[in-house]
Amino acid sequence: MNPTVVLADNLPAILIPVFLVLFFGVIVVVVILLKKHVKIFKNDEKPKSDKEIAAEELDRLLEPVEELEPVKEEGEENKDADDKQA
């Protein structure tokens, strides 16, 4: 008889999901502990305050608008071109 089949026959069906949850729970705990205690995995960035975030968004949205050149009519464009050639 194959020993894995005997083991599977003796295990109640509810224990398989329990073992899976325990396995992934251990992985999560290990990752949390690594991020907390191991210097390589630590995040050195400090969260920005609401005022800093708002100021950055305002600066981004309210960029200064460059002055536009006045719109010239067709006759004026020809005069300017004639003046430059002369």
Side-chain angles (χ1 to χ4, degrees), residues 11-83:
L11 261 174
I14 191 70
L15 287 182
I16 294 172
V18 170
F19 286 140
L20 286 173
V21 169
L22 285 174
F23 175 73
F24 288 111
V26 168
I27 291 174
V28 168
V29 169
V30 168
V31 168
I32 290 171
L33 290 175
L34 281 174
K35 287 185 82 168
K36 188 174 184 179
H37 296 292
V38 178
K39 189 174 185 176
I40 296 172
F41 298 112
K42 285 186 181 179
N43 188 1
D44 293 334
E45 292 182 18
K46 294 182 180 176
K48 295 181 181 180
S49 69
D50 291 340
K51 288 183 180 180
E52 291 173 335
I53 294 172
E56 287 179 5
E57 283 297 310
L58 283 175
D59 290 342
R60 184 180 65 84
L61 292 174
L62 299 175
E63 292 179 0
V65 177
E66 296 177 14
E67 285 191 35
L68 300 175
E69 294 179 16
V71 178
K72 298 180 181 179
E73 295 180 14
E74 288 182 26
E76 291 179 11
E77 287 178 6
N78 291 338
K79 289 179 188 176
D80 290 339
D82 292 339
D83 293 340

